[in-house]
Amino acid sequence: MVFRKEVNISTLDEVLKSSWRLLHAGVRDFRNPFHHPTLTTIGEDKPQARTVILREFSEEDRKLVCHSDVRGLKVLQI
């Protein structure tokens, strides 16, 4: 089940395609949980989890473009 909608996924290719769809939905809809993912870095031997905003996604390049407030400490850590 993916966000209250039953989806039958049985192969790795279907997992990948489903993941691409979820990421594209996150770019398009600010209410989608994939719109504000958590990015985690490690510094000083401990993890730091930060919420960012997903603005673009490229399947071809497998690249995520995320935005964050430049005034926040997370920008320095990332």
Side-chain angles (χ1 to χ4, degrees):
M1 186 169 296
V2 179
F3 303 118
R4 299 186 188 114
K5 181 179 175 186
E6 190 170 325
V7 178
N8 185 13
I9 298 174
S10 59
T11 67
L12 289 175
D13 188 50
E14 290 171 349
V15 170
L16 186 59
K17 287 178 183 177
S18 176
S19 299
W20 294 159
R21 281 192 300 272
L22 291 169
L23 288 165
H24 283 298
V27 170
R28 287 189 312 270
D29 182 4
F30 72 93
R31 290 170 289 200
N32 187 294
F34 277 74
H35 185 69
H36 41 81
T38 301
L39 179 64
T40 304
T41 58
I42 296 190
E44 299 176 15
D45 296 327
K46 62 181 180 179
Q48 294 288 326
R50 308 295 189 168
T51 300
V52 294
I53 303 300
L54 181 60
R55 295 294 186 194
E56 295 177 39
F57 169 65
S58 169
E59 286 179 45
E60 185 176 316
D61 301 328
R62 295 188 178 190
K63 180 172 70 172
L64 302 172
V65 175
C66 299
H67 287 192
S68 182
D69 188 337
V70 72
R71 298 168 292 180
L73 291 175
K74 67 179 131 185
V75 173
L76 295 174
Q77 291 175 339
I78 294 170

